[in-house]
Amino acid sequence: MTEREKMTRGLWYDANYDPELLTQRQHAAALCHRFNQSDPLDDAAQSAILRELLPHMEESVILLPPVYVDYGENCWFGSGSFINHNAYFMDGAAITIGKNCFIGPSCGFYTAAHPLLAEQRNRGLEKASPITLGDNVWLGASVTILPGVTIGAGSVIGAGSVVVKDIPSGVLAVGNPCHVVREITENDR
């Protein structure tokens, strides 16, 4: 089994030294660099770069540079979503952003976990677990999403939160660790 196959199956894999994965990350880094340095008035050039970098991005997604991904091909962005400046998608596993999501500036999506034992970390081992945001989720600025987290549709995560466990649909959640404060209701209209 290749290291890439291990990665996609959520097993421990060699993230640091496997030539295939290194080449894929270098290609994604080059595309990120091109996009981040592109003329913001040249929509055609930016779109072409993003189509190559993020082949699963639906129509009408707004993605502001700079953006960073490890692979790009493991990201799914739903139509109508807005991703503000300085987003990072560590997409060793799938990162799925639903439709009409608002992602604040400097948000990070981290699918990778590393061994607790230094000997194993030093060998470059990691495993990745998917991250999922339902439709209409809003992340405030500088939100951190950790491996394996799902945030339910319509929820709002306050700025600076660190989301370490699943958040249900239709709630306001904040903090480090992020916790549910209350449901979002008609009184919020």
Side-chain angles (χ1 to χ4, degrees), residues 80-84 97-105 107 109 132-145 151-161 163 167-174 178 182 184 188:
S81 289
F82 174 84
I83 301 165
N84 213 321
I97 307 296
K99 294 179 182 347
N100 301 306
C101 289
F102 287 1
I103 309 300
C107 287
F109 300 78
T132 303
L133 274 59
D135 295 342
N136 300 301
V137 167
W138 173 22
L139 304 182
S142 300
V143 169
T144 298
I145 312 287
I151 299 174
S155 285
V156 176
I157 309 298
S161 295
V163 187
I167 302 293
S169 297
V171 299
L172 172 63
V174 301
C178 188
R182 65 177 176 84
I184 297 171
D188 292 307

Side-chain angles (χ1 to χ4, degrees), residues 7-87:
M7 179 181 80
T8 60
R9 292 180 179 161
L11 304 173
W12 292 106
Y13 66 98
D14 177 358
N16 289 1
Y17 306 110
D18 179 68
E20 178 187 12
L21 294 178
L22 287 172
T23 298
Q24 290 173 341
R25 285 199 308 274
Q26 287 172 335
H27 180 68
L31 290 170
C32 286
H33 179 76
R34 283 179 42 211
F35 176 72
N36 295 337
Q37 302 303 314
S38 66
D39 182 346
L41 299 176
D42 191 345
D43 290 336
Q46 285 190 328
S47 292
I49 296 165
L50 287 178
R51 276 193 305 278
E52 185 176 353
L53 178 63
L54 301 165
H56 307 295
M57 185 172 74
E58 294 182 2
E59 295 298 319
S60 303
V61 172
I62 297 173
L63 182 62
L64 301 180
V67 65
Y68 305 95
V69 301
D70 280 1
Y71 300 96
E73 66 185 27
N74 296 324
C75 294
W76 280 261
F77 298 157
S79 64
S81 289
F82 174 84
I83 301 165
N84 213 321
H85 299 285
N86 205 38

